[in-house]
């Protein structure tokens, strides 16, 4: 059976909430809101005002984890300052999940601490990525939900000391493995939203990022993280935008599709989907 992915070309904070209602999947209990807090200096990340209606609707707690590289988010102290500077703590409860140890260990051993949550909504800004080729739901589930050590573990494909030197495809497969562990942890009480806006070839983790190279495309929502990422990739390829080739080059040069291939092989979602467009 094909997974359902709902899609609208209208990109507003209110439309994000409307798409959640259209999906018809009610998240139950205390909800973790996984998003990207944005590296200091990055101009492309989606700001608190954009996500505010959906977070308020769910009475959710914004969750993040420290990074594994130098910057404004690699220690708890610096990350909390960046979160405050970017306005997240002004509007929402925020939980830096690896602020205190020990890390929570799931079947794929990357650290994260999610035991305080009954469900999760994954709010992804779809764009390029310097290593993964693209960033979407699968990256948010894996690297995004991992502690600083967990990020090194995934990047190193099980060998944290090889964080930047591991075989590239093994790194992508490690992301797919880690994403499965989080997806299955919430036992269906999880929803994915990808927003195709401000699409640079660079990630929101880059302090110095290229400006967006494509016009905005839309909002997608699904309960299947594999299908929603595949749909975003397909929409980029189907676009006639003059900047699409630049983003495609970034995706292909990093073999970005392999994360989706590996995730599909693990069976926690499908690359086959029905795209259901919501016009108004």
């Amino acid at each position: 059976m094909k997974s359902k992915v709902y899609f609208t070309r209208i990109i507003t904070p209110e439309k994000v909430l409307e798409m959640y209602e259209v999906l018809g999947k009610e998240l139950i209990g205390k909800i973790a809101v996984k998003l990207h807090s944005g590296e200091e200096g990055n101009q492309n990340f989606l700001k608190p005002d954009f996500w505010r209606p959906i977070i308020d609707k769910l009475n959710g707690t914004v969750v993040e984890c420290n990074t594994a590289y130098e910057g404004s988010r690699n220690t708890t102290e610096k990350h909390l300052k960046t979160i405050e500077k970017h306005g997240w703590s002004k509007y929402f409860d925020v939980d830096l999940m690896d602020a205190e140890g020990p890390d929570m260990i799931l079947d794929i051993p990357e650290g994260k601490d999610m035991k305080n949550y009954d469900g999760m909504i994954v709010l992804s800004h779809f764009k390029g990525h310097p290593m993964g080729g693209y960033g979407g739901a699968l990256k948010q589930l894996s690297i995004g939900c991992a502690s600083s050590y967990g990020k090194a573990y995934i990047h190193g494909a099980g060998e944290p000391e090889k964080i930047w030197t591991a075989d590239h495809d093994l790194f992508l497969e490690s992301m797919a493995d880690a994403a499965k562990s989080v997806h299955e942890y919430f036992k269906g009480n999880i929803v994915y939203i990808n927003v195709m806006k401000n699409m640079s070839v660079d990630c929101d983790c880059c302090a110095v990022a290229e400006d967006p190279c494509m016009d905005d495309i839309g909002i997608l929502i699904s309960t299947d993280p594999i299908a929603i990422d595949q749909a975003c990739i397909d929409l980029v390829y189907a676009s006639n935008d003059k900047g699409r080739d630049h983003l495609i080059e970034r995706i292909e040069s990093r073999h970005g599709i392999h994360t989706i291939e590996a995730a599909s092989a693990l069976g926690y979602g499908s690359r086959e989907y029905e795209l259901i467009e919501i016009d108004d």
Side-chain angles (χ1 to χ4, degrees), residues 170-223:
L170 287 180
F171 153 58
L172 301 176
E173 291 163 14
S174 184
M175 279 206 293
D177 288 341
K180 179 182 180 180
S181 71
V182 182
H183 177 77
E184 294 190 342
Y185 177 80
F186 287 110
K187 298 178 173 63
N189 197 29
I190 188 164
V191 165
Y192 304 93
I193 297 177
N194 283 8
V195 177
M196 303 183 75
K197 175 182 173 67
N198 298 350
M199 288 183 289
S200 168
V201 296
D202 289 325
C203 180
D204 298 341
C205 57
C206 300
V208 180
E210 278 194 23
D211 287 333
C213 62
M214 285 187 70
D215 288 338
D216 300 342
I217 291 179
I219 300 169
L220 297 87
I221 186 167
S222 182
T223 57

Side-chain angles (χ1 to χ4, degrees), residues 4-278:
K4 287 183 168 60
V5 179
Y6 294 87
F7 168 60
T8 179
R9 298 181 188 277
I10 301 167
I11 305 179
T12 65
E14 296 73 24
K15 199 67 176 180
V16 173
L17 179 55
E18 182 183 325
M19 293 296 282
Y20 173 74
E21 303 288 356
V22 166
L23 181 68
K25 170 68 179 178
E26 182 182 0
L27 293 173
I28 298 169
K30 186 175 182 181
I31 303 304
V33 180
K34 180 64 189 77
L35 47 73
H36 201 301
S37 55
E39 186 70 16
E40 186 170 353
N42 186 279
Q43 74 275 35
N44 299 322
F45 75 97
L46 301 181
K47 310 301 191 292
D49 282 343
F50 182 81
W51 294 123
R52 191 173 182 181
I54 185 65
I55 299 173
D56 285 350
K57 167 71 175 178
L58 297 172
N59 193 28
T61 299
V62 171
V63 298
E64 259 284 35
C65 291
N66 292 323
T67 62
Y69 50 83
E70 288 296 323
S72 69
R73 300 179 301 129
N74 67 321
T75 69
T76 295
E77 182 181 9
K78 287 195 290 184
H79 201 165
L80 288 174
K81 286 181 179 178
T82 300
I83 284 170
E84 182 178 7
K85 183 175 182 178
H86 287 171
W88 298 108
S89 52
K90 176 182 178 181
Y91 296 115
F92 315 118
D93 291 335
V94 178
D95 179 10
L96 199 55
M97 292 194 292
D98 62 339
E100 298 177 4
D103 289 347
M104 181 179 179
I105 306 297
L106 298 186
D107 287 342
I108 305 300
E110 76 287 347
K112 56 185 90 60
D113 187 0
M114 299 176 293
K115 63 182 180 294
N116 296 323
Y117 301 98
D118 303 304
M120 177 176 278
I121 188 164
V122 181
L123 306 179
S124 301
H125 172 209
F126 185 89
K127 69 285 181 193
H129 191 275
M131 288 193 70
Y134 84 94
L138 293 171
K139 178 182 177 291
Q140 279 275 57
L141 277 178
S142 55
I143 295 290
C145 286
S147 69
S148 182
Y149 174 83
K151 287 176 171 63
Y153 190 99
I154 295 168
H155 270 283
E159 299 180 72
E161 66 277 9
K162 294 183 178 180
I163 180 172
W164 308 126
T165 60
D167 177 85
H168 189 71
D169 276 2
L170 287 180
F171 153 58
L172 301 176
E173 291 163 14
S174 184
M175 279 206 293
D177 288 341
K180 179 182 180 180
S181 71
V182 182
H183 177 77
E184 294 190 342
Y185 177 80
F186 287 110
K187 298 178 173 63
N189 197 29
I190 188 164
V191 165
Y192 304 93
I193 297 177
N194 283 8
V195 177
M196 303 183 75
K197 175 182 173 67
N198 298 350
M199 288 183 289
S200 168
V201 296
D202 289 325
C203 180
D204 298 341
C205 57
C206 300
V208 180
E210 278 194 23
D211 287 333
C213 62
M214 285 187 70
D215 288 338
D216 300 342
I217 291 179
I219 300 169
L220 297 87
I221 186 167
S222 182
T223 57
D224 184 335
I226 299 170
I228 198 170
D229 277 7
Q230 182 67 63
C232 287
I233 294 286
D234 292 343
L235 284 167
V236 170
Y237 274 86
S239 172
N240 293 320
D241 189 279
K242 63 182 182 298
R244 68 181 278 279
D245 290 348
H246 188 42
L247 182 54
I248 288 171
E249 189 280 332
R250 173 58 59 90
I251 294 168
E252 292 184 349
S253 66
R254 273 64 167 183
H255 201 194
I257 197 66
H258 190 56
T259 306
I260 295 175
E261 293 171 342
S264 179
L266 292 170
Y268 58 95
S270 174
R271 296 179 72 182
E272 299 296 320
Y273 63 90
E274 178 187 2
L275 191 67
I276 303 166
E277 187 161 357
I278 308 299

